[in-house]
Amino acid sequence: MAVTGRPTLRNLFDESPTPHIAHPPRTHQRHFYVATDGSYRPDGGGLGVVIEARDGERVARLSLPDVAPNNNVSEYRALHLGLDVLADRAPPTARIGILLDHDDLAANVNNAVLASAHPNWKPPKPISVPEGSEHHWRGIRARIAGFNEVRAARLDSRENPAHPLANSPYEYEHVNRQPARCVLPDPLEFDTERDASYLPPSRFEGRASD
């Protein structure tokens, strides 16, 4: 279960805007949430990943040193890693919430999700992938397609629980020794009357999917 006093990823997701996709109540509910962050430094940075089930139970944490050519590549690499780990722990029927502090990456994820529902696979907004991140973007899209539903939310780096893991990989290297876990989340429940009274922030720049 969630640690007392620590916001669960579910709470952070519900309170964060989702670029290009409206955030109606039914879409809050995910089976799993993954927060990732990439840190770039000329002398070496790191990758951070936190995965939780919907009740706040932790599935995985990773804090790995990494050398990337720039910050964009490190952010794409971190999400690619997080989705790879999640795909190994979650069924393809799972609904996934992604939390990122990289605005363009969050927007690209949601554009890719919307494009998958378009008859011509056309995204509502142009998708521009930073140079050097193309391989990771292909991996990210493949993982997105492998889940039942995916949505990305954008949050401030100070609220991102993956941020310290990415910035201090040697300090947090002990988290990588935690045994691998597969967590079966509680069934999703939706109370239309209750949830319709509460709308988290939206960054609605097109049409809603759902």
Side-chain angles (χ1 to χ4, degrees), residues 68-85:
N70 55 58
N71 186 67
N72 285 326
V73 173
S74 68
E75 293 283 1
Y76 277 72
R77 189 173 290 174
L79 179 56
H80 191 180
L81 171 64
L83 292 178
D84 279 352
V85 173

Side-chain angles (χ1 to χ4, degrees), residues 94-194:
R95 298 174 62 173
I96 308 302
I98 297 173
L99 293 112
L100 303 164
D101 56 34
H102 190 284
D103 293 5
D104 291 342
L105 179 52
N108 280 349
V109 168
N110 287 341
N111 265 321
V113 170
L114 291 175
S116 67
H118 193 278
N120 296 322
W121 291 82
K122 182 180 179 180
K125 301 282 185 178
I127 294 178
S128 177
V129 178
E131 183 178 357
S133 304
E134 297 88 353
H135 166 72
H136 296 296
W137 177 241
R138 287 194 296 271
I140 290 167
R141 292 201 69 168
R143 290 306 188 189
I144 289 173
F147 289 115
N148 180 47
E149 187 179 305
V150 175
R151 181 154 304 176
R154 193 202 66 230
L155 76 171
D156 190 277
S157 62
R158 293 169 295 184
E159 298 177 333
N160 188 348
H163 184 72
L165 302 179
N167 278 270
S168 303
Y170 296 105
E171 179 182 348
Y172 288 98
E173 63 179 352
H174 62 278
V175 305
N176 304 311
R177 297 191 292 269
Q178 297 170 349
R181 306 180 64 223
C182 291
V183 177
L184 184 65
D186 296 334
L188 293 178
E189 297 177 357
F190 181 67
D191 185 328
T192 303
E193 182 176 349
R194 179 198 64 199

Side-chain angles (χ1 to χ4, degrees), residues 196-209:
S197 64
Y198 171 67
L199 284 172
S202 282
R203 181 62 59 87
F204 180 55
E205 299 175 7
R207 63 180 180 83
S209 72

Side-chain angles (χ1 to χ4, degrees), residues 1-3 6-10 12 30-37 47-63 78-91 94-100 143 147 160-163 165 175-176 178-185:
M1 301 298 290
V3 177
R6 175 176 60 83
T8 65
L9 298 188
R10 179 185 179 183
L12 291 171
R30 314 275 101 181
H31 294 101
F32 294 94
Y33 299 85
V34 54
T36 68
D37 192 26
L47 306 175
V49 175
V50 180
I51 301 173
E52 292 178 354
R54 66 184 302 271
D55 61 358
E57 187 170 0
R58 182 173 293 149
V59 177
R61 281 202 303 170
L62 294 173
S63 180
L79 179 56
H80 191 180
L81 171 64
L83 292 178
D84 279 352
V85 173
L86 180 58
D88 199 41
R89 313 282 178 89
R95 298 174 62 173
I96 308 302
I98 297 173
L99 293 112
L100 303 164
R143 290 306 188 189
F147 289 115
N160 188 348
H163 184 72
L165 302 179
V175 305
N176 304 311
Q178 297 170 349
R181 306 180 64 223
C182 291
V183 177
L184 184 65

